[in-house]
Amino acid sequence: MKKSGFFILCAIVFLLPEYSEAQCAMCRAVLESEENRSAAEGVNNGIVYLMAVPYVLIAGLFYFIYKKMKG
């Protein structure tokens, strides 16, 4: 039951990235002043991807540790 909840949460996070967009204050101020919206979206996506990679790596590490301890 817990695994299915985890996979559903991961699917929601990765399939709906517009709800998890974030920016630092300086990036937001600079990009909002520009007329080029594609640059702002590109920076947003880059921040989300850079933030997600460490979490995926740590989750993988804990998964392998869990498998080693269990079996």
Side-chain angles (χ1 to χ4, degrees):
M1 182 71 180
K2 290 183 182 182
K3 286 185 182 182
S4 63
F6 174 74
F7 288 120
I8 291 171
L9 179 64
C10 286
I12 290 171
V13 168
F14 288 113
L15 294 176
L16 301 171
E18 63 271 3
Y19 294 114
S20 60
E21 291 183 25
Q23 291 179 336
C24 68
M26 294 301 292
C27 295
R28 173 169 269 170
V30 170
L31 292 172
E32 284 181 350
S33 66
E34 294 183 10
E35 296 176 3
N36 188 2
R37 298 307 265 170
S38 64
E41 289 178 14
V43 170
N44 254 351
N45 291 336
I47 291 169
V48 171
Y49 295 139
L50 287 172
M51 182 186 72
V53 171
Y55 288 110
V56 171
L57 291 174
I58 290 172
L61 176 69
F62 281 121
Y63 174 76
F64 286 118
I65 291 172
Y66 172 75
K67 283 294 201 181
K68 276 278 204 197
M69 298 292 278
K70 189 175 180 183

